[in-house]
Amino acid sequence: MSFKALVTEKIGDSFATSLKDFEAADLGVGDVTVAVEWSTLNYKDGLAIAGKRIMQSYPMIGGVDFAGTVEASDNAAYKPGDKVIANGWGLSQTHNGGYAQKARVPAEWLIPLPSAFTTREAMAIGTAGYTAMLCVMALEHGGLSPDRGDILVTGANGGVGSIAISLLSALGYRVTASTGRPAEADYLRNLGAAEIVDRAQFSAAGKPLGSERWAGAVDSVGSHTLANVLAQTKYRGVVAACGLAQGIDLPASVAPFILRNVTLAGIDSVNAPRDVRVEAWARLARDLKPAKLAATITEIGLADVPRVGGAILKGEVRGRTVVNVNA
Ligand code: NDP
């Protein structure tokens, strides 16, 4: 039986993404088949459908996340009717992803949908929001608490940034948001940012150490931005690094580590162990305020994904985009 899927193909040296009728038999290996309800759009999805070294074979259905209802299962852990979510693993890399009305995956890639969320809300969180929670958990693991001082969130208007601001402010932290879009100040304040700073102050090469400004940071930007944030982090501060919106390089010195005991915590959501995922989603259910989440959401259909995927790579998308795969 066929269903609608957004398929990316490689034609010569270029890439094309279009809606197709896809056969269930072509979905790939897996012991659980899911009727997908919602997917989402992350920066990585923009890269994938633009042919930028995410997908490892073609044709491929993109989408690193999905949420839906189990339709068939050969694994005792799931039965038809169960609500599930999937984030990362091989989705949109080695295995067909969430931009389709059906997905088939190994049971280990799924976790049960937390009862606090609808499938749409889970995809409004998606990989970006779950990564923001992993960053918050890393700050806590490093010993931070709200009394230690301000937390800087870079890439503030993005998916990771928006959810990180929301989570940290709900936990009682004073959050400073770094952005290149000052016109979105009201949006950022509404999410919980106490202060907004221009990202330009972090964008160019800086000194190995600066004045101590941040107890910690969630950085989705990398490159000079991360180097400058490290240089301005207070004694025994913690910086969670998850992204590369400015660049993959890190032109920094060891001064913050050896003179200020700063911790740089790396964050990977794609291959995070199952117990870490389950904990992160349980924390999201507890700490993310539904009204704040709702303020981040833009809804699109499958056919809109290539256009909005191009916009996210240009830094033009605000907050989180959910994809209705049945629209
Ligand atoms: P978004 O595109 O939604 O957000 C990125 C934000 O970064 C933009 O909104 C913009 O915020 C800022 N930005 C963009 N370009 C630049 C630039 N040149 N210099 C400084 N800031 C810039 O992406 P996501 O939130 O989905 O992802 C953010 C990053 O985190 C990406 O690099 C992504 O690959 C990575 N990521 C990593 C994960 C992991 O497992 N490690 C998981 C999820 C994401 P503003 O306009 O406010 O300045």
Side-chain angles (χ1 to χ4, degrees), residues 252-263:
S253 85
V254 297
F257 311 125
I258 64 174
L259 298 176
R260 290 190 181 152
N261 212 118
V262 166
T263 298

Side-chain angles (χ1 to χ4, degrees), residues 142-186:
L144 288 195
S145 49
D147 56 304
R148 294 272 299 277
D150 274 31
I151 307 292
L152 180 71
V153 174
T154 63
N157 275 292
V160 174
S162 293
I163 307 265
I165 292 169
S166 227
L167 286 168
L168 287 163
S169 71
L171 290 166
Y173 289 90
R174 186 173 189 279
V175 181
T176 298
S178 165
T179 182
R181 286 183 270 179
E184 300 291 355
D186 285 348

Side-chain angles (χ1 to χ4, degrees), residues 43 131 155-160 179-181 199 220 242-245 267 269 312:
Y43 189 87
T131 301
N157 275 292
V160 174
T179 182
R181 286 183 270 179
R199 79 182 191 199
S220 56
C242 72
L244 41 60
I267 304 298
S269 66
I312 202 168

Side-chain angles (χ1 to χ4, degrees), residues 149-237:
D150 274 31
I151 307 292
L152 180 71
V153 174
T154 63
N157 275 292
V160 174
S162 293
I163 307 265
I165 292 169
S166 227
L167 286 168
L168 287 163
S169 71
L171 290 166
Y173 289 90
R174 186 173 189 279
V175 181
T176 298
S178 165
T179 182
R181 286 183 270 179
E184 300 291 355
D186 285 348
Y187 166 77
L188 297 173
R189 284 210 178 84
N190 187 36
L191 290 181
E195 199 175 330
I196 289 147
V197 294
D198 186 341
R199 79 182 191 199
Q201 65 181 273
F202 306 105
S203 301
K207 295 181 184 158
L209 280 180
S211 54
E212 298 182 48
R213 296 173 72 186
W214 321 112
V218 171
D219 178 61
S220 56
V221 172
S223 191
H224 289 300
T225 299
L226 177 55
N228 287 318
V229 170
L230 287 167
Q232 296 173 8
T233 298
K234 292 182 183 182
Y235 194 79
R236 291 190 81 79

Side-chain angles (χ1 to χ4, degrees), residues 268-292:
D268 167 56
S269 66
V270 179
N271 294 300
R274 187 186 157 83
D275 57 331
V276 173
R277 291 166 185 265
V278 170
E279 184 189 351
W281 277 96
R283 287 287 309 272
L284 284 158
R286 192 190 83 183
D287 297 333
L288 190 58
K289 302 280 172 269
K292 296 279 173 77

Side-chain angles (χ1 to χ4, degrees), residues 5-218:
L6 193 68
V7 181
T8 300
E9 294 167 289
K10 186 166 192 254
I11 302 152
D13 286 338
S14 46
F15 300 88
T17 299
S18 58
L19 267 182
K20 305 245 184 215
D21 289 321
F22 204 87
E23 293 298 325
D26 297 331
L27 271 176
V29 291
D31 46 6
V32 184
T33 304
V34 178
V36 178
E37 290 157 21
W38 295 91
S39 183
T40 180
L41 184 84
N42 304 279
Y43 189 87
K44 182 175 173 182
D45 295 308
L47 291 174
I49 57 178
K52 300 201 168 154
R53 292 191 295 276
I54 302 289
M55 294 175 175
Q56 290 168 26
S57 64
Y58 297 90
M60 177 75 78
I61 302 172
V64 304
D65 298 293
F66 65 78
T69 305
V70 172
E71 205 174 72
S73 172
D74 294 327
N75 188 298
Y78 295 99
K79 59 180 190 319
D82 287 349
K83 298 279 184 191
V84 290
I85 47 181
N87 309 110
W89 296 116
L91 295 175
S92 179
Q93 291 187 191
T94 56
H95 198 98
N96 286 309
Y99 292 155
Q101 292 172 314
K102 282 189 204 308
R104 185 179 302 125
V105 294
E108 307 80 65
W109 290 9
L110 297 169
I111 64 170
L113 177 75
S115 59
F117 299 125
T118 62
T119 48
R120 184 178 186 272
E121 286 168 333
M123 286 299 98
I125 295 166
T127 281
Y130 141 66
T131 301
M133 191 72 235
L134 294 177
C135 291
V136 171
M137 287 158 59
L139 299 187
E140 291 172 345
H141 185 71
L144 288 195
S145 49
D147 56 304
R148 294 272 299 277
D150 274 31
I151 307 292
L152 180 71
V153 174
T154 63
N157 275 292
V160 174
S162 293
I163 307 265
I165 292 169
S166 227
L167 286 168
L168 287 163
S169 71
L171 290 166
Y173 289 90
R174 186 173 189 279
V175 181
T176 298
S178 165
T179 182
R181 286 183 270 179
E184 300 291 355
D186 285 348
Y187 166 77
L188 297 173
R189 284 210 178 84
N190 187 36
L191 290 181
E195 199 175 330
I196 289 147
V197 294
D198 186 341
R199 79 182 191 199
Q201 65 181 273
F202 306 105
S203 301
K207 295 181 184 158
L209 280 180
S211 54
E212 298 182 48
R213 296 173 72 186
W214 321 112
V218 171

